[in-house]
Amino acid sequence: MEAVIGLLLMILGVSHGVETYCDGRQDGAQCYGALGGTVVLQLMDSASEIFKYQWLKKTTSILRGGKNRAVINLIADRSSFTPSDGTFRINDLSRTDGGEYTLMIFDSNGSKSEQRTLLLIIQAPVSSVLLVSECLSQGETRVSCSSEGGDSPQYSWTLDGHTLTDAQLLSGNNETNNITLKPDVSGQLVCSVRNHISGISTCGYMFIVCTLSNGMHISQSVSVSSNSQCIEPTSASTTITDTSVDHSLLIFGLRAAVMILFFIGSAVYFVWKKKKYKEAKGSAVPRKREHQENSVLMVEMRSSASEL
């Protein structure tokens, strides 16, 4: 079943995962990779002319090589190193890939000419975000923004496309996930959640102001024009290629493909069944003898012989 789903994903042109890039040529660089995704680390300008280099995680040598030396990669099954541009690409990132790495470069005399460290942090991407609202007794609106799957989420709010201001808030601020809007504040409220490797927003939530009538609390009405999610632009410090797709579209495509395969399989089966039935029916009908008069003549000749 997994093979079939994988084939259908290729047919539909769907791929998953987040790819990040980080320049690690400065000592103490801090890089981020997405859990299950890919990170491209710029370790050096070029390794082609370096006499000897070694890249370690703590005391474990992950990568080593040099001029006129073979490149040895400890995790070659899911990574690759390009000496010409000094980039190291790691796929299928796991939590254990995170940590501090050290690059050491040696000259032709065997002396260490350069050393620098790089900190790689693995984060789970934000997968979904949800708004929940509640009317309070004085006409205020309490709104909560929750996210799933993301490490170290950061929140921000906009109202009708503009950053939410303190003048519109009774409590909370633009960087918290729980806020309370003042009475008579309404509009299209959007919560955005991001971390260093992903960003996502809610879309289409139109909040109508909570009101009071004759001292009785009237529930807030919420008009949802769309339940889709907007992908936010990435931060300047990390370049991200987000290849995720709308899950509803993926599910629809998979179901359609499965139905098409089912109907094709059913048609082939019934054609084969009909052909086998015709062959079986044909073999059950006795074949007619040709030249039946010759057969009768043979019988009559045998009868005459017996009388003699």
Side-chain angles (χ1 to χ4, degrees):
M1 185 63 182
E2 292 180 356
V4 174
I5 293 176
L7 178 61
L8 293 175
L9 289 175
M10 287 193 295
I11 294 172
L12 294 170
V14 176
S15 62
H16 292 277
V18 176
E19 180 176 303
T20 59
Y21 167 85
C22 183
D23 190 345
R25 290 172 292 183
Q26 295 296 322
D27 186 33
Q30 189 165 287
C31 302
Y32 292 87
L35 185 64
T38 298
V39 64
V40 179
L41 302 171
Q42 185 83 49
L43 300 182
M44 58 195 82
D45 293 328
S46 172
S48 303
E49 299 301 320
I50 297 177
F51 180 76
K52 181 182 176 182
Y53 56 85
Q54 190 172 14
W55 196 53
L56 305 94
K57 183 180 181 184
K58 294 183 179 179
T59 58
T60 302
S61 179
I62 303 296
L63 178 74
R64 64 179 183 270
K67 189 176 182 180
N68 301 323
R69 296 170 182 264
V71 175
I72 300 175
N73 183 356
L74 185 65
I75 53 172
D77 58 327
R78 58 185 183 91
S79 70
S80 61
F81 178 64
T82 307
S84 60
D85 61 11
T87 57
F88 190 67
R89 181 187 187 93
I90 309 175
N91 303 309
D92 193 22
L93 290 167
S94 65
R95 299 284 188 186
T96 57
D97 290 316
E100 186 176 83
Y101 293 80
T102 302
L103 176 67
M104 294 187 296
I105 296 176
F106 302 88
D107 58 25
S108 57
N109 297 321
S111 301
K112 185 166 56 177
S113 60
E114 190 175 350
Q115 178 175 318
R116 54 177 176 265
T117 62
L118 175 155
L119 179 63
L120 178 60
I121 301 171
I122 307 300
Q123 289 188 337
V126 178
S127 59
S128 66
V129 59
L130 175 67
L131 281 181
V132 177
S133 63
E134 176 188 4
C135 279
L136 303 180
S137 60
Q138 300 301 316
E140 312 95 325
T141 308
R142 178 185 295 159
V143 189
S144 175
C145 181
S146 60
S147 61
E148 291 183 3
D151 292 324
S152 304
Q154 299 175 355
Y155 299 88
S156 61
W157 301 82
T158 60
L159 185 67
D160 292 332
H162 302 286
T163 301
L164 203 59
T165 65
D166 292 339
Q168 296 164 321
L169 291 168
L170 190 64
S171 66
N173 58 60
N174 197 53
E175 297 180 354
T176 59
N177 65 322
N178 294 298
I179 60 172
T180 301
L181 298 173
K182 291 181 178 180
D184 300 326
V185 174
S186 64
Q188 186 179 17
L189 186 67
V190 174
C191 170
S192 299
V193 187
R194 64 164 60 247
N195 56 17
H196 286 89
I197 51 89
S198 65
I200 197 168
S201 299
T202 56
C203 300
Y205 283 83
M206 184 66 70
F207 285 83
I208 300 175
V209 65
C210 297
T211 59
L212 295 175
S213 176
N214 298 326
M216 300 297 292
H217 182 213
I218 297 178
S219 297
Q220 179 189 29
S221 93
V222 181
S223 172
V224 182
S225 59
S226 170
N227 62 358
S228 62
Q229 295 174 340
C230 300
I231 302 299
E232 288 289 300
T234 62
S235 60
S237 60
T238 305
T239 303
I240 301 174
T241 303
D242 193 342
T243 56
S244 60
V245 296
D246 191 332
H247 291 286
S248 61
L249 177 61
L250 173 60
I251 294 172
F252 176 81
L254 289 175
R255 287 178 176 174
V258 170
M259 291 300 295
I260 291 172
L261 291 175
F262 172 78
F263 285 120
I264 292 175
S266 299
V268 172
Y269 173 79
F270 284 118
V271 169
W272 175 79
K273 195 72 174 177
K274 186 176 181 180
K275 182 178 179 181
K276 296 296 287 185
Y277 174 77
K278 286 183 178 181
E279 291 177 355
K281 185 177 180 181
S283 62
V285 176
R287 290 182 292 182
K288 294 181 180 180
R289 292 183 179 180
E290 296 180 359
H291 310 298
Q292 292 185 4
E293 65 277 10
N294 293 340
S295 299
V296 173
L297 179 61
M298 291 173 64
V299 172
E300 289 178 351
M301 289 176 65
R302 289 174 183 172
S303 298
S304 300
S306 61
E307 290 177 0
L308 295 174

